[in-house]
Amino acid sequence: MSQTERYVYRTEVNPDTINLVDMKVETTFLDVRNNRSLFISESKLLRDSLKTVLRQQEKPEIKKSKKNKPEFPKLANGKSIQPTFFEYFITKDYADKTINFVENIGSKQVYYQEDRKLNWNISPQTSDYNGYKVQKATINFGGRIWTAWFAPEIKISDGPYKLSGLPGLILKLEDDKGDYKFNFVKKLSIPNSFSEDIKPDARKSTRINFQGDKASVKMEMAKNKDAEIDLDNFSPGGGRGMHQRNGMNGRFGGQPGQGMNGGMPNGEMGTPDVQMGSTPRSSTGNGNMMSFGNTNPIELSNK
């Protein structure tokens, strides 16, 4: 496997635009390799890596609590993997300029190819950020006006989420409402990182029909009594995600914040080196994470 260049972002999300609540903080990655990129949250990468190991061991069972609810996997320090606002991953192909939005449903996948053009307005305004000279650009996308600061010296036309197409890597990104903020923290070189790919049997959908096709796949799996669908319970919120209105180097004991490559010498996972922030917990008192819900989706419009 070729080396992955991982761009780490400190990501802040406002979970509720109606009630006054604290911003939730987590870590997201932009992994660049072989003229392609993967945008994914650290929590999802950790969780999906563990799911892959469980499937490879042919042991999809998840330990149940007294109330017959799945217990969330623990990190090496005893803490649970944090819930994420990004219950999906996004791949971009630089050669054919395609952007794919992918969700896992058990062992199945549903995805669509983004069909909207990214029409940026590049400003002559410049600034300095994290040791780089950055330039300002704005775009109206998904019902939000985004302001990006990109670094022309980093010759990667990419950035967090679906946002890309600028003459340089986006290092700072924020929407006009202040609900979503991505701030570049550091770059890591990962020799054998765990990566997400679109499977050959994935259900191809469209942006408009995506939620319906997701429901169809879930119904098919339930009808066929596919045990893999139980792995959806492995994630807080059952994989609903925060999309629209519906809504790792080393080993498990490796270096913090560098993810996983599927090795598992000690059966433990490394501890993230960027704080994930406070997270909501269920009222059951058993330490299970509750869902963030979908009160503040990243896309407010299909236009």
Side-chain angles (χ1 to χ4, degrees), residues 30 43 52 110-111 119 146 169 175 191 223-224 232 234 249 251 258 276 292 302:
L30 183 68
S43 290
T52 298
V110 183
Y111 76 100
N119 298 314
W146 296 89
L169 180 66
D175 76 296
K223 182 178 179 180
N224 296 330
D232 272 355
F234 206 43
N249 151 354
R251 51 195 181 275
Q258 293 184 349
M276 305 292 280
F292 277 127
N302 272 325

Side-chain angles (χ1 to χ4, degrees), residues 229-282:
I229 200 170
D230 289 338
L231 286 175
D232 272 355
N233 294 326
F234 206 43
S235 64
R240 289 182 300 174
M242 293 291 295
H243 180 63
Q244 296 175 358
R245 293 193 180 277
N246 301 292
M248 293 189 248
N249 151 354
R251 51 195 181 275
F252 278 30
Q255 294 299 314
Q258 293 184 349
M260 302 178 288
N261 70 353
M264 195 173 171
N266 300 316
E268 295 179 336
M269 288 181 282
T271 304
D273 63 344
V274 181
Q275 293 299 316
M276 305 292 280
S278 61
T279 53
R281 293 181 180 271
S282 67

